[in-house]
Amino acid sequence: TVGITAEKDAGERIARGPDFFSGHVMFRGKRGLRALVVGDYNAQFGQGLTYWSGLGFGKSPYVINLKKNPLQLRPYTSVDETRFLRGAAATLGKDHVELTVFGSSKKIAGTLAVPEDTTLTDDEFTITSFQSSGLHRTESEWADRKVIYENTAGANLRYSKRSLSIGVTGVYTAFDHVFTPGGRRYQAFDFSGNENLNMGADYQCVVRNANFFGEISRSRNGAVAVINGVVASLHPRLSLAVLYRNFPADYQALQVNVFAENNDRARNERGLYLAAETKLANAWTLSVYADQVLFPWLTFNADAPSRFTDYFMQLNCKPDKKHEFYLRYRWRSNEANFNSGEPIDYPIAYFRHNVRFHAAYTAHPNVQLKSRFEWNMRKPENGRSTNGYLLYQDVIWKKLGSRLSLQARYALFNTPSWDVAIYAYETDVLYAYSIPAYSGKGSRIYAMAKWAATRGIDVWLRYGQWLYDDRSVISSGNTQINANHKQEIHVQVRWQF
């Protein structure tokens, strides 16, 4: 496969052209050389604790889908300007053994500063932060673009046979400047320096109706993190899952994506997750989970060790292929600083309730409708609650044999505080995704059309608009809009040859 991607974000100067280019060439075989990629790619191994570039997902309504299934090497086709490797990689294999080696060298965005140590010259900068937004709209954002060299080299050796798979991964990362974390107390164990080494081992095996999996990893400073889980089918109508993770506050891994409350930051977390899924009747399914988490060290919004509790329940009804409904309830409790006006902040419990009702049904052979109502509530243990809701209607038109398909949404929302903002997935052009926050009071519409213009050529056109009732100015600074509405247009053309 061969792919090329060019992207420019909203607000960036047109005269400078696309600020992000990506391309790859990838070959897949079945014998000795099983994969070879040159250009931009992702590498994913184990359960994402030692190394995992690219996006991944944590907890979901599919409560027993805990185990990650890494693709090892795959071409990079996204427009995210951070989570990928640029170089070359190959997978060699014989019988049940595979060896994957990969290397990458690319420039990334960040903020550089001259250290206070006057014995250093002005050329010896330190890195104070890494920038992952991919936005280069202002001169300062443009100045942070491609100022840091990131070099990565690694390998994964894997043995797989029938129901058993064992792998060993090593990854070395180096920067051309020293990274210095902030001076806040919760950052005391953050990565610092200009190089890191992670070594890990992962496994998965099937024993009768149970699938065991896990990974253990060590960072350069000696900290060891571990994750272990099992998914078991106890009955044709009942499945259970258990997962335990222990990520010390001083564990340091720069590219991870692991099952956790903060899945891209595998540190300062110890938790036990229990889940069950049962078939109540032919059309009814009940999914539940409970997650108990301890943060042994300070966090961004808690100046003391804290706890997090998460309970989830979802009842699904699918009477036939044309109709599907579900009712979801989620209760969460976390501890965060309470600004009491005293010299010392102290954490208190904040409780969150979420209720969602979703219905998907076929109104016509060519028309599918999706309706949703969602309600959020947040309440501190010694204060008043804040409530918000979202209501939307989707209409999807797709006719068998037609080159054109259409989708549209109309939404009403009232979430007076960012604490009760509601996120909802929106269909976007190919290889892109959108999960905006419905925050404030107003309405939202978007519509997208896909047209198969001719053989090998597809065209996407998407239009969206926010209309707010609670403001006359949107955003601030360089992104300020002096109106109560804003629009966006996405256009994409794909040519396959």
Side-chain angles (χ1 to χ4, degrees):
T1 61
V2 179
I4 298 175
T5 302
E7 186 247 9
K8 172 173 282 297
D9 295 297
E12 296 176 341
R13 291 188 182 181
I14 297 178
R16 286 173 170 165
D19 73 318
F20 177 67
F21 288 94
S22 177
H24 69 268
V25 177
M26 185 160 191
F27 164 81
R28 289 194 182 277
K30 295 182 178 180
R31 296 190 178 180
L33 181 60
R34 298 184 178 177
L36 174 65
V37 60
V38 177
D40 294 348
Y41 63 96
N42 276 329
Q44 302 171 349
F45 307 105
Q47 294 303 305
L49 183 58
T50 303
Y51 193 82
W52 187 288
S53 66
L55 296 175
F57 299 95
K59 287 180 283 188
S60 77
Y62 305 100
V63 298
I64 62 170
N65 289 355
L66 309 180
K67 183 175 72 68
K68 289 183 178 290
N69 296 299
L71 299 174
Q72 297 190 31
L73 298 180
R74 64 184 180 93
Y76 187 71
T77 57
S78 178
V79 294
D80 185 288
E81 301 181 25
T82 305
R83 300 177 181 90
F84 68 96
L85 296 165
R86 176 166 288 173
T91 298
L92 307 174
K94 184 177 181 180
D95 297 331
H96 305 293
V97 179
E98 284 187 345
L99 173 64
T100 299
V101 293
F102 59 96
S104 169
S105 180
K106 72 177 192 282
K107 287 186 174 182
I108 62 175
T111 303
L112 300 179
V114 178
E116 297 180 358
D117 189 340
T118 56
T119 62
L120 299 177
T121 67
D122 291 346
D123 293 332
E124 294 178 295
F125 297 104
T126 61
I127 305 169
T128 58
S129 65
F130 297 103
Q131 306 293 340
S132 59
S133 68
L135 300 176
H136 308 107
R137 303 159 298 183
T138 65
E139 291 302 321
S140 61
E141 289 177 344
W142 184 263
D144 290 341
R145 177 177 178 263
K146 294 185 177 181
V147 295
I148 303 167
Y149 266 108
E150 178 192 66
N151 298 299
T152 304
N156 172 265
L157 180 63
R158 181 162 302 279
Y159 171 84
S160 301
K161 186 176 182 180
R162 296 180 182 176
S163 59
L164 175 66
S165 176
I166 301 174
V168 178
T169 305
V171 180
Y172 172 78
T173 305
F175 304 100
D176 60 339
H177 298 290
V178 173
F179 175 72
T180 304
R184 301 284 297 273
R185 285 181 294 174
Y186 74 89
Q187 298 172 312
F189 299 105
D190 285 7
F191 166 77
S192 63
N194 68 338
E195 60 182 3
N196 193 35
L197 176 65
N198 292 93
M199 299 292 294
D202 65 272
Y203 72 94
Q204 62 168 309
C205 64
V206 177
V207 180
R208 294 187 178 180
N209 296 328
N211 190 339
F212 297 86
F213 59 92
E215 185 171 3
I216 184 171
S217 184
R218 182 184 186 275
S219 55
R220 186 171 181 264
N221 63 353
V224 176
V226 64
I227 182 170
N228 287 289
V230 58
V231 178
S233 177
L234 304 183
H235 184 272
R237 290 181 176 268
L238 176 64
S239 297
L240 297 179
V242 181
L243 184 140
Y244 172 76
R245 70 266 192 193
N246 187 352
F247 311 143
D250 57 344
Y251 176 70
Q252 299 172 355
L254 303 178
Q255 288 280 1
V256 299
N257 199 293
V258 67
F259 186 96
E261 190 57 32
N262 297 306
N263 60 343
D264 61 346
R265 295 168 62 88
R267 63 186 184 210
N268 190 29
E269 180 171 332
R270 187 162 66 242
L272 179 64
Y273 175 94
L274 305 173
E277 185 175 283
T278 179
K279 191 90 169 176
L280 301 176
N282 291 336
W284 296 85
T285 303
L286 177 64
S287 303
V288 297
Y289 75 64
D291 195 18
Q292 298 285 337
V293 183
L294 171 66
F295 303 115
W297 182 243
L298 285 57
T299 61
F300 171 77
N301 58 0
D303 291 340
S306 56
R307 295 181 179 274
F308 175 79
T309 303
D310 187 2
Y311 297 120
F312 174 94
M313 179 182 70
Q314 181 167 304
L315 182 64
N316 283 66
C317 177
K318 190 174 183 179
D320 51 50
K321 294 181 179 181
K322 296 182 179 181
H323 301 82
E324 184 172 6
F325 311 91
Y326 71 78
L327 178 64
R328 175 185 301 176
Y329 173 70
R330 188 179 185 186
W331 182 88
R332 287 170 288 173
S333 171
N334 71 293
E335 296 176 345
N337 287 340
F338 173 68
N339 186 7
S340 62
E342 300 295 330
I344 299 177
D345 291 332
Y346 57 92
I348 65 169
Y350 289 82
F351 305 101
R352 296 175 181 268
H353 299 268
N354 173 263
V355 176
R356 177 192 294 180
F357 175 74
H358 184 91
Y361 40 97
T362 302
H364 182 273
N366 303 329
V367 179
Q368 185 184 32
L369 303 178
K370 294 182 179 180
S371 307
R372 177 178 296 182
F373 173 78
E374 188 161 353
W375 172 80
N376 260 358
M377 189 269 277
R378 181 177 186 264
K379 181 184 182 302
E381 63 178 345
N382 58 355
R384 292 184 175 182
S385 63
T386 305
N387 301 271
Y389 72 85
L390 165 68
L391 176 66
Y392 75 65
Q393 178 65 55
D394 284 354
V395 180
I396 304 168
W397 181 87
K398 188 173 183 180
K399 184 179 180 181
L400 185 64
S402 175
R403 293 185 175 185
L404 181 67
S405 61
L406 303 171
Q407 179 165 339
R409 170 178 296 177
Y410 178 69
L412 296 172
F413 58 94
N414 185 359
T415 55
S417 167
W418 188 261
D419 294 327
V420 292
I422 298 175
Y423 295 82
Y425 174 83
E426 296 182 353
T427 302
D428 211 321
V429 300
L430 186 66
Y431 303 133
Y433 67 94
S434 178
I435 311 177
Y438 288 75
S439 179
K441 183 180 181 181
S443 62
R444 162 80 169 161
I445 61 170
Y446 85 87
M448 192 179 76
K450 178 191 175 184
W451 178 42
T454 185
R455 184 176 180 180
I457 299 180
D458 298 309
V459 180
W460 288 263
L461 176 62
R462 185 180 189 271
Y463 170 81
Q465 181 188 67
W466 296 92
L467 179 62
Y468 292 96
D469 299 332
D470 60 348
R471 69 198 71 176
S472 57
V473 175
I474 299 174
S475 192
S476 61
N478 294 307
T479 60
Q480 179 172 312
I481 299 173
N482 296 318
N484 70 335
H485 60 276
K486 66 176 181 178
Q487 300 88 23
E488 72 268 4
I489 297 176
H490 298 175
V491 180
Q492 180 171 287
V493 178
R494 181 179 65 169
W495 178 28
Q496 292 179 299
F497 56 91

